[in-house]
């Protein structure tokens, strides 16, 4: 019988509250103010002023194009001058920009601030450079998923270079991870062994031809580069995870991934996965489609589904309003949170056809996944919990300390390639209704664990 049919909501809620309070106690007390932990006063200011927030993130986005400290200062003050009312610390910084020496000082401070933020989120410029951090995480009971930074490509050579970078990541990580110490919880679940090396791939970076009005062309082009990566992962014993991005490419990417994984040469592997975005209104239908495919495929390694809230909310909302389309995302956070919990239940109930990775920094969402898994008869080892580097560090340590399998999503690449990623993370971190901002605002544990 399906766990959904026998699990009572009351039992899940009781276990959720118990788990949530245990995790809360595992948080270091100093970390319960994550914005202070980021050591960035501008982040706190940005949380309370939408126009200031927009100006600061516009600046972050253009930093890689600036060629001097003077250039940095001029861009920063130019953006800030558009803000109707600037807080005293910002006003003071703008006043010193009236002299050459002042601009140099302001530019240096701005560049240092952006680098500081980037280094919190990005673990290295290359997989080789990131190995020290990745091994340290592993030794502290935390697995990793390496994401090679880079957005959509516009030329075939760019797509080929991205494919080469992904292949190089597999070739670097797989042999390096074999020498790491044993970590039983990170290396196996009820379905079998789990690869130590885990690399993420973006289909939009594998082809410049992915267009919603002609999906077949982009799918064919991307497949020619994705197949060799699947073969490389199979040879190396690595996991390859295909990220989902904006809505206009989702259908094409999902269809491509499932078709490729169903090909005969990939029946025995590699371990592979995809992403489901809970902020999309039609995500339950997408989940049902994936679950149906997983129940019918001949593949022996179960597909891993990473459940996320979604990182392109602003993009989807603006695009829909510009074109007069129905908004495809939940505009109320509570609706999204409720959908996330419903999808968690549906995916966990689909095991053993699937492996489930719940990616969230929301204490309620994480506690709910653990509680439902337990109440429905699952082992803790059959659930993976994921966080983002730089945002979920304290939660990651709390989960590892309690013996859960936790994996940190670790971006790798240079600052230019990482700007779009960095801005999305900053937007998430300073959203007024985000879990991190609520936590920083002093919300009680009872509020943080309340049903959405």
């Amino acid at each position: 019988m399906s766990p959904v049919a026998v699990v009572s909501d009351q039992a899940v809620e009781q276990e959720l509250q118990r788990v949530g309070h245990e995790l809360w106690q595992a948080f270091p007390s100093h970390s319960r103010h994550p914005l202070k932990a980021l050591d960035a006063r501008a982040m706190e200011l940005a949380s309370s002023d939408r126009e200031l927030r927009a100006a600061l993130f516009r600046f972050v986005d253009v930093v890689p194009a600036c060629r001097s400290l003077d250039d940095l200062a001029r861009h920063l003050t130019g953006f800030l001058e558009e803000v109707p009312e600037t807080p005293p610390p910002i006003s003071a910084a703008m006043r010193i920009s009236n002299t050459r020496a002042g601009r140099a000082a302001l530019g240096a401070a701005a560049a240092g601030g952006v680098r500081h933020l980037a280094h919190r989120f990005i673990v290295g410029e290359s997989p080789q450079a990131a190995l020290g951090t990745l091994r340290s995480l592993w030794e502290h009971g935390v697995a990793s998923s390496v994401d090679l930074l880079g957005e959509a490509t516009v030329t075939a050579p760019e797509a080929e270079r991205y494919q080469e970078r992904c292949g190089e990541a597999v070739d670097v990580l797989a042999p390096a991870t074999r020498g790491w110490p044993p970590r039983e919880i990170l290396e196996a679940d009820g379905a079998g062994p789990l690869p130590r090396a885990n690399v993420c791939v973006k289909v939009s970076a594998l082809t410049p031809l992915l267009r919603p009005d002609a999906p077949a062309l982009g799918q064919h082009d991307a497949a020619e580069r994705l197949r060799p990566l699947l073969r490389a992962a199979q040879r190396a014993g690595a996991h390859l995870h295909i990220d989902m991005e904006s809505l206009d490419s989702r259908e094409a990417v999902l269809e491509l991934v499932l078709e490729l994984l169903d090909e005969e040469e990939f029946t025995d592997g590699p371990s592979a996965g995809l992403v489901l975005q809970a902020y999309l209104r039609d995500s339950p239908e997408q989940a049902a489609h994936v679950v149906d495919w997983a129940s019918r495929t001949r593949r022996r390694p179960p597909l891993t589904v990473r459940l996320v809230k979604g990182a392109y909310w602003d993009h989807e909302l603006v695009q829909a309003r510009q074109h007069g389309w129905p908004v495809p995302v939940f505009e109320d956070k509570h609706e999204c949170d409720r959908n996330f919990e419903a999808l968690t239940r549906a995916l966990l109930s689909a095991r053993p056809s699937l492996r489930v990775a719940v990616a969230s920094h929301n204490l309620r969402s994480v506690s709910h996944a653990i509680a439902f898994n337990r109440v429905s008869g699952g082992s803790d080892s059959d659930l993976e919990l994921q966080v983002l580097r730089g945002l979920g560090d304290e939660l990651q340590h709390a989960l590892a300390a309690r013996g859960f399998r936790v994996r940190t999503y670790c971006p790798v690449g240079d600052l230019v390639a990482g700007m779009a990623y960095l801005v999305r993370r900053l937007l998430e971190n300073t959203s007024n209704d985000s879990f991190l901002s609520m936590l920083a605002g002093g919300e009680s544990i009872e509020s943080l664990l309340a049903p959405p």
Side-chain angles (χ1 to χ4, degrees):
M1 182 178 291
S2 165
V4 171
V6 298
V7 173
S8 87
D9 291 342
Q10 183 178 9
V12 172
E13 192 65 32
Q14 288 175 345
E15 180 66 11
L16 183 158
Q17 294 294 323
R18 189 180 72 80
V19 169
H21 280 81
E22 286 184 359
L23 289 176
W24 177 254
Q25 293 304 316
F27 273 68
S29 59
H30 68 81
S31 72
R32 295 179 187 173
H33 197 321
L35 295 182
K36 284 185 179 177
L38 280 174
D39 191 26
R41 173 61 175 158
M43 296 285 283
E44 237 177 310
L45 293 171
S47 298
S48 58
D49 188 322
R50 289 178 61 88
E51 290 171 322
L52 175 59
R53 183 166 168 247
L56 290 174
F57 293 155
R58 286 169 65 197
F59 169 71
V60 169
D61 203 26
V62 303
V63 164
C66 295
R67 294 292 175 259
S68 67
L69 297 180
D70 191 80
D71 198 18
L72 280 167
R74 290 183 187 278
H75 275 85
L76 178 57
T77 55
F79 289 136
L80 292 175
E81 283 171 357
E82 298 176 10
V83 179
E85 295 183 12
T86 55
I90 300 295
S91 298
M94 291 174 66
R95 282 196 296 273
I96 71 169
S97 68
N98 293 325
T99 66
R100 185 177 183 83
R103 285 194 299 275
L106 180 59
V114 171
R115 281 195 300 271
H116 174 72
L117 286 173
H119 289 156
R120 291 193 63 86
F121 299 108
I122 301 172
V123 297
E125 293 189 354
S126 68
Q128 187 70 44
L131 283 176
T133 299
L134 301 179
R135 176 166 185 145
S136 177
L137 286 169
W138 181 269
E139 290 174 345
H140 287 86
V142 180
S144 57
S145 185
V146 169
D147 170 41
L148 297 175
L149 290 169
E151 300 294 311
T153 56
V154 295
T155 68
E158 285 180 334
E160 289 163 5
R161 176 57 189 147
Y162 178 77
Q163 177 195 344
E164 291 171 2
R165 290 175 59 217
C166 291
E168 289 167 2
V170 171
D171 292 340
V172 168
L173 294 170
T177 58
R178 295 187 194 114
W180 294 355
R183 288 289 181 270
E184 183 178 351
I185 188 64
L186 305 181
E187 298 187 72
D189 63 6
L194 293 165
R196 292 182 169 200
N198 188 304
V199 176
C200 296
V201 175
K202 295 180 180 67
V203 172
S204 68
L206 285 174
T207 176
L209 305 178
L210 198 60
R211 300 287 185 274
D213 55 346
L217 182 63
Q219 287 173 320
H220 175 77
D221 193 51
E224 294 302 302
R225 298 186 180 94
L226 187 53
R227 281 194 190 91
L229 292 177
L230 288 167
R231 293 169 187 145
Q234 174 73 329
R235 289 192 301 271
H239 174 90
L240 203 67
H241 212 91
I242 295 89
D243 280 339
M244 292 293 170
E245 300 168 81
S246 59
L247 182 61
D248 57 7
S249 64
R250 185 197 57 178
E251 296 293 337
V253 170
L254 181 60
E255 183 179 340
L256 167 66
V257 172
L258 297 184
E259 286 184 359
L260 279 184
L261 294 180
D262 248 346
E263 292 180 354
E264 186 173 352
E265 70 170 300
F266 301 124
T267 298
D268 294 322
S271 174
L274 51 75
V275 176
L276 188 66
Q277 299 159 306
Y279 70 173
L280 294 172
R281 294 180 183 275
D282 68 350
S283 52
E285 289 77 15
Q286 292 295 316
H289 176 57
V290 171
V291 167
D292 178 64
W293 175 89
S295 69
R296 294 183 290 102
T297 184
R298 298 169 298 165
R299 273 178 57 84
R300 281 178 277 278
L303 180 75
T304 299
V305 177
R306 175 193 291 147
L307 178 63
V308 303
K309 297 288 175 67
Y312 295 82
W313 186 87
D314 295 274
H315 168 81
E316 303 296 0
L317 189 65
V318 169
Q319 188 173 56
R321 288 176 175 171
Q322 281 180 338
H323 294 278
W325 298 336
V327 175
V329 295
F330 292 107
E331 297 181 72
D332 185 307
K333 178 184 179 296
H334 298 297
E335 288 185 275
C336 182
D337 288 344
R338 286 192 290 270
N339 189 48
F340 192 89
E341 292 189 6
L343 290 171
T344 297
R345 293 177 178 235
L347 294 173
L348 288 174
S349 299
R351 294 172 305 178
S353 298
L354 295 174
R355 281 176 163 143
V356 182
V358 173
S360 176
H361 306 130
N362 185 308
L363 188 61
R364 159 104 193 170
S365 298
V366 172
S367 301
H368 170 265
I370 294 169
F372 182 81
N373 180 55
R374 287 177 172 176
V375 174
S376 62
S379 165
D380 284 350
S381 66
D382 288 335
L383 172 65
E384 182 164 295
L385 301 162
Q386 296 191 358
V387 299
L388 287 168
R389 169 75 175 187
L391 287 182
D393 298 0
E394 303 299 344
L395 176 59
Q396 133 198 316
H397 293 310
L399 290 167
R402 304 296 301 178
F404 295 103
R405 184 167 73 255
V406 58
R407 186 179 304 277
T408 296
Y409 188 87
C410 293
V412 169
D414 63 32
L415 191 61
V416 174
M419 270 303 125
Y421 174 88
L422 178 56
V423 169
R424 286 199 300 274
R425 298 289 74 81
L426 296 179
L427 286 169
E428 178 181 355
N429 200 49
T430 57
S431 170
N432 288 328
D433 60 359
S434 74
F435 171 76
L436 293 178
S437 288
M438 291 170 64
L439 184 60
E443 292 283 344
S444 67
I445 180 62
E446 288 74 24
S447 293
L448 296 174
L449 292 177

